[in-house]
Amino acid sequence: MRRLLVSSVAVVALLTGASAAAAQDPHAGHAGHAAPAAQSEDARLAAFFEQAFQERIALSPQQMTSLGLKTDYDRLDDATDAAAERSLALAERQLAQLNDQFNPQTLSDESRMSWRLFEYGVEQARLSNRWREWGYQFAANGNPTTGLPVFMINNHRVDSVSDAEAYVSRLRDAGRVMDEIAAELRDRAAHGVISPHFVFEPSIANTRNIIAGAPFDGGADNPVWADFQRKVGALEADAATKERLLAEGRSALTGEWRRGYETVLAALAEVQVQAAAMPDRDAGVWRLPDGEAFYNARLRLSTTTDLTADQIHEIGLSEVARLHGEMQAIMTRVGFTGSLQEMFAFLKTDPRFQYPNTPEGKEQYLTDSRAFIAQVMAMGPELFHDLPRAALEVRSVEPWREATASVAFYNSPSPDGTRPGIYYVNLSDMTQVLKPQIEAISYHEGAPGHHFQIAAAQEMEDLPRFRRFGGYGAYAEGWGLYAERLGLEMGFYQDPYSDFGRLSLELWRAVRLVTDTGLHAKRWSREQAIEYFQQNSLLSERDIVKEVERYLTNPGQATSYKVGELKIMELRRRAQAALGARFDIRDFHAVVLGSGSVPLEVLEDQVDAWIAAGGGRPD
């Protein structure tokens, strides 16, 4: 689906509004320090943003469900180009209304910040929309067919008979959605936008998995069918009603749901033949029509900066060299006398650094990850004034989507508290998992990484909701990478091999800068990128291939991590130098996290203003 084009640059929530609390409270944010007229204008602007938010999410039944609402609970999103055009048209109309109805000079600083972010979101939407047809629907690290079962299982609550009926309606509506996905797949292929050949086999396998098992065949219950049975079974309803609901669910799955997925499978098979004629060796987007301009747009969307591909490439090379030096210091500390590449080989092959490839080994990984997160929660108040209220769980990726799922990732909690934040780990092959890296991954994806940033932002009820639920990849992923380093400051990574693992993950993100730009701007082959990874990183062979294939199918996104982390570290050093003894790490984190996810240029302005004001805990 076209949202893959913008990836973690969250233009999905780009134009939307304030929370009801902010709309009702004219003193929200810094407005309490403004004159009465400004207070009134702030309240009016908050109401405008709230209305804009309601209009925006009304276009997306699934986003409303994710926010805990049950409006249009029986419908799924529109996956057509027409829907994308409607979304952009709404954005432009709302921005015009903002400029017509308000004067920035009459607003508080916080309201002007919201104005700036609203406008920036529309600019991002324009750029994303301009290039949406260049995006690959089916990528190496995800596709729209597996996303729908995850949504139904994790997001669609069944608290009543009508909720169960809405679940069935959505199962039926999946036929329409899959028809739209198949049509878009064929249309993009007709215009030369075809995913690399390596994408098709796992995408087809995962899509087939979604219509495997009972009630489609004689196997074990399909995950969606098992989910629906469990949710209906928990209802307070008579046996006849439950029997009716289950019969309707079975009919919807074996009817419209299966037919829709079979339609996508047919389209994938057709386009796979076309992809076979295009060598994976040269799969950078430079081979697409206007591919260079597309990649430049992707870099802008992913980094929220004007950095060129050449600049990003050089930053990556510099960071790789620096991190290799820090790794050499740890090698000396542990008495390893071989080369860096030999150290990599040692960690990849020595059994002490691997979990058993068994159910027990997988459970131990989850247990260790939970322990790492627990120690952060215990020490969190030493580095943060406030911790998120939402719970955080660690789960393994469901087997039916392991082939196209990332190594690890975070799912945000629901605002109403009914769904926790979820740190997912892909445990499909434990021979490819390295123990020394688990600690840093846990800090990045869980706490104090994405959970402290994303869940905390959702809980900032004095901010407009487009700021609470939207965001930018360079900020979010930059914070996640920064959080890995915070573990060191909290006194963790006691094992030097674990600290080496931390450096290896930072190195991984530096290598991304080199390989992503190499593939798409310097016309590296897939094999060149894999070889560079092998020579310069600790990643397992499987993960190296998955990473390179991810960059090929989601161009630019991987550059967001290191670009964002470098900016946060630059701003921290600036604050420490300017404030001296007045610098408090908790205050700095409150500034960085306190405005929600923002473009890097906005983050820099926020930190500079805080420094100019003399530091201290932000209001």
Side-chain angles (χ1 to χ4, degrees):
M1 296 166 74
R2 60 186 49 82
R3 285 191 202 125
L4 292 176
L5 177 62
V6 294
S7 184
S8 60
V9 183
V11 180
V12 174
L14 40 73
L15 11 147
T16 44
S19 67
Q24 295 165 3
D25 181 8
H27 304 286
H30 298 292
H33 301 295
Q39 292 176 4
S40 175
E41 282 299 281
D42 287 342
R44 194 166 69 89
L45 182 66
F48 171 85
F49 283 147
E50 178 61 22
Q51 178 62 33
F53 186 81
Q54 298 294 342
E55 291 172 352
R56 178 63 183 94
I57 64 173
L59 298 179
S60 173
Q62 289 176 237
Q63 188 181 6
M64 288 190 285
T65 298
S66 296
L67 292 172
L69 305 174
K70 292 187 176 180
T71 307
D72 290 337
Y73 210 44
D74 58 347
R75 293 176 49 216
L76 298 172
D77 286 357
D78 188 332
T80 64
D81 286 342
E85 295 291 350
R86 284 194 297 272
S87 180
L88 182 61
L90 175 61
E92 299 287 8
R93 185 166 64 254
Q94 290 175 340
L95 181 59
Q97 291 170 347
L98 175 65
N99 284 290
D100 288 345
Q101 297 174 19
F102 296 91
N103 179 356
Q105 301 306 314
T106 66
L107 300 169
S108 67
D109 290 344
E110 189 63 38
S111 289
R112 282 195 292 271
M113 170 63 70
S114 294
W115 180 313
R116 178 181 180 183
L117 292 170
F118 191 95
E119 185 174 47
Y120 190 94
V122 178
E123 292 169 357
Q124 292 278 95
R126 289 181 193 136
L127 185 59
S128 175
N129 194 67
R130 161 71 179 84
W131 296 101
R132 71 178 186 275
E133 296 302 328
W134 276 253
Y136 297 128
Q137 291 171 292
F138 288 81
N141 64 324
N143 64 67
T145 57
T146 57
L148 185 53
V150 175
F151 170 80
M152 295 301 298
I153 293 169
N154 286 349
N155 294 61
H156 189 109
R157 304 197 320 271
V158 174
D159 304 316
S160 66
V161 170
S162 62
D163 290 346
E165 291 169 341
Y167 194 117
V168 172
S169 294
R170 278 180 156 163
L171 296 179
R172 295 193 178 109
D173 200 25
R176 185 262 309 167
V177 173
M178 294 302 141
D179 285 347
E180 293 169 353
I181 291 168
E184 184 75 3
L185 179 64
R186 291 185 172 106
D187 181 67
R188 293 191 189 188
H191 290 88
V193 179
I194 300 172
S195 296
H197 189 251
F198 58 74
V199 166
F200 287 86
E201 184 175 341
S203 293
I204 289 171
N206 276 2
T207 302
R208 282 185 179 140
N209 286 341
I210 295 166
I211 50 175
F216 307 106
D217 56 42
D221 283 350
N222 176 276
V224 177
W225 176 232
D227 177 67
F228 186 63
Q229 291 180 91
R230 180 183 61 79
K231 289 173 177 174
V232 169
L235 282 175
E236 292 185 4
D238 59 77
T241 298
K242 291 183 179 183
E243 185 177 347
R244 171 181 66 83
L245 291 171
L246 291 175
E248 291 174 354
R250 179 189 293 271
S251 175
L253 283 168
T254 57
E256 293 92 334
W257 177 280
R258 177 163 61 183
R259 183 200 57 75
Y261 274 89
E262 288 174 343
T263 299
V264 172
L265 284 168
L268 282 168
E270 292 172 22
V271 180
Q272 184 180 28
V273 174
Q274 297 173 260
M278 304 170 67
D280 286 345
R281 173 180 173 80
D282 299 316
V285 294
W286 55 264
R287 73 182 186 179
L288 301 178
D290 297 320
E292 181 180 354
F294 168 54
Y295 185 57
N296 291 338
R298 288 289 299 153
L299 291 178
R300 172 65 183 171
L301 288 165
S302 297
T303 69
T304 66
T305 72
D306 293 321
L307 289 170
T308 66
D310 285 343
Q311 289 173 320
I312 292 171
H313 193 83
E314 290 303 315
I315 291 170
L317 291 172
S318 175
E319 284 293 285
V320 167
R322 176 184 67 81
L323 290 161
H324 280 181
E326 293 189 23
M327 289 176 148
Q328 292 281 359
I330 293 181
M331 289 165 57
T332 300
R333 177 182 167 193
V334 299
F336 190 88
T337 57
S339 67
L340 184 60
Q341 285 69 32
E342 288 172 331
M343 179 69 165
F344 291 159
F346 168 61
L347 291 172
K348 289 180 183 180
T349 55
D350 193 299
R352 83 182 87 165
F353 302 120
Q354 293 183 336
Y355 292 93
N357 194 21
T358 63
E360 292 76 17
K362 295 180 180 182
E363 190 57 40
Q364 188 60 51
Y365 181 116
L366 297 173
T367 298
D368 290 347
S369 297
R370 291 170 184 138
F372 290 136
I373 288 170
Q375 67 184 12
V376 170
M377 292 299 188
M379 292 191 62
E382 296 184 16
L383 274 74
F384 298 89
H385 288 303
D386 301 296
L387 304 185
R389 296 189 300 271
L392 174 63
E393 293 185 5
V394 183
R395 299 182 189 175
S396 58
V397 171
E398 300 87 351
W400 46 269
R401 61 171 176 145
E402 286 176 337
T404 55
S406 299
V407 174
F409 52 95
Y410 175 79
N411 277 15
S412 61
S414 61
D416 61 4
T418 58
R419 184 182 70 250
I422 303 170
Y423 158 32
Y424 275 108
V425 292
N426 192 335
L427 304 181
S428 58
D429 184 357
M430 298 302 289
T431 67
Q432 303 295 298
V433 173
L434 299 178
K435 282 186 179 181
Q437 295 180 329
I438 305 311
E439 186 171 3
I441 292 174
S442 299
Y443 300 151
H444 181 117
E445 299 295 346
H450 288 323
H451 189 63
F452 275 36
Q453 182 260 307
I454 296 172
Q458 291 185 179
E459 295 167 5
M460 296 177 189
E461 296 184 357
D462 58 338
L463 291 184
R465 285 202 281 175
F466 80 96
R467 292 174 61 179
R468 291 167 57 197
F469 299 107
Y472 299 90
Y475 174 94
E477 299 300 353
W479 174 263
L481 183 50
Y482 171 80
E484 296 176 20
R485 187 193 300 255
L486 280 184
L488 190 64
E489 298 179 34
M490 299 172 99
F492 306 144
Y493 301 111
Q494 289 297 307
D495 180 353
Y497 289 106
S498 188
D499 195 27
F500 192 93
R502 172 187 67 83
L503 288 171
S504 78
L505 292 181
E506 187 177 356
L507 176 63
W508 169 19
R509 281 37 168 266
V511 169
R512 282 176 168 177
L513 299 184
V514 179
T515 50
D516 195 290
T517 52
L519 288 163
H520 298 295
K522 298 183 179 298
R523 303 195 176 193
W524 284 15
S525 68
R526 175 176 174 271
E527 287 68 29
Q528 277 179 278
I530 290 173
E531 182 180 2
Y532 184 84
F533 246 115
Q534 291 169 334
Q535 292 298 314
N536 291 282
S537 80
L538 180 59
L539 259 65
S540 68
E541 295 306 307
R542 181 203 66 169
D543 286 345
I544 286 173
V545 173
K546 285 176 70 72
E547 282 290 301
V548 170
E549 292 180 347
R550 166 183 168 178
Y551 311 156
L552 285 167
T553 56
N554 197 354
Q557 187 274 335
T559 65
S560 60
Y561 300 71
K562 204 73 177 77
V563 170
E565 181 253 355
L566 287 171
K567 175 57 67 175
I568 294 173
M569 287 303 302
E570 172 195 335
L571 295 175
R572 175 170 164 173
R573 288 190 293 268
R574 184 185 305 174
Q576 288 172 314
L579 298 174
R582 290 173 294 162
F583 179 85
D584 186 319
I585 190 62
R586 295 170 300 172
D587 297 339
F588 176 74
H589 289 158
V591 174
V592 172
L593 296 175
S595 294
S597 183
V598 297
L600 297 183
E601 63 186 48
V602 173
L603 178 63
E604 184 165 12
D605 289 347
Q606 292 286 82
V607 173
D608 284 344
W610 172 69
I611 293 171
R617 183 171 181 173
D619 293 335

